[in-house]
Amino acid sequence: MKARVHVMLKNGVLDPQGEAVRHALGALGFDGVEGVRQGKVIELDLAEGTSEAAVHDMCEKLLANTVIESYTVEMS
Amino acid sequence: MKARVHVMLKNGVLDPQGEAVRHALGALGFDGVEGVRQGKVIELDLAEGTSEAAVHDMCEKLLANTVIESYTVEMS
């Protein structure tokens, strides 16, 4: 089974990487890009029977810095 | 309108970041993590009327290194 975790900076936390991408897109001539936020996506191959709660635990302990980042988990 | 771009290393391309996460999860006692791939997610706030083709163009020109990375675009 697989899990996909998205980790994004929380709203209100400055995202210099996203800002850099926004500027670069503007410099390349792409108009109409009003904002960019960049985050991480982590795809986990899990043994059968691994619970979603275990994946949340992984996020809390390692994958996300919950002070400044939020995460979402999708199991499939 | 918004677009969400996922950029992942292509299959067969070594992912040392993902490997590091896999080892760290094992060291923390999470069994059953068989593989980890880490990629980027980029959320774009776009002016109304921006086409999906324009977002694909952004990916080809800036957001993804198409030699080693693949990308997917979701508009919403």
Side-chain angles (χ1 to χ4, degrees), chain B:
Chain B
M1 63 192 302
K2 291 191 179 255
R4 179 180 261 198
V5 176
H6 284 103
V7 179
M8 300 295 294
L9 286 167
K10 289 181 179 172
N11 286 332
V13 178
L14 279 179
D15 180 1
Q17 209 174 2
E19 268 307 282
V21 170
R22 194 174 66 80
H23 275 108
L25 286 171
L28 284 172
F30 292 106
D31 299 325
V33 180
E34 290 162 2
V36 179
R37 304 284 286 175
Q38 183 165 337
K40 290 179 286 189
V41 56
I42 301 158
E43 290 182 353
L44 302 161
D45 278 325
L46 298 169
E48 284 306 314
T50 308
S51 66
E52 187 167 339
V55 179
H56 278 271
D57 211 19
M58 292 176 201
C59 292
E60 294 284 337
K61 288 196 178 147
L62 183 76
L63 304 179
N65 174 355
T66 54
V67 178
I68 55 168
E69 293 172 327
S70 60
Y71 63 88
T72 55
V73 175
E74 293 163 37
M75 307 294 285
S76 58

Side-chain angles (χ1 to χ4, degrees), chain A residues 12-70:
Chain A
V13 179
L14 279 179
D15 179 1
Q17 209 174 3
E19 267 309 282
V21 170
R22 194 174 66 81
H23 274 108
L25 287 171
L28 284 171
F30 292 106
D31 300 324
V33 180
E34 290 162 3
V36 179
R37 303 286 286 175
Q38 184 166 336
K40 290 179 286 187
V41 56
I42 301 159
E43 291 183 351
L44 303 160
D45 277 325
L46 299 169
E48 283 307 313
T50 308
S51 68
E52 188 167 337
V55 179
H56 279 270
D57 210 20
M58 291 175 201
C59 291
E60 295 284 338
K61 287 196 178 147
L62 182 75
L63 303 179
N65 174 356
T66 54
V67 177
I68 56 168
E69 293 172 326
S70 59

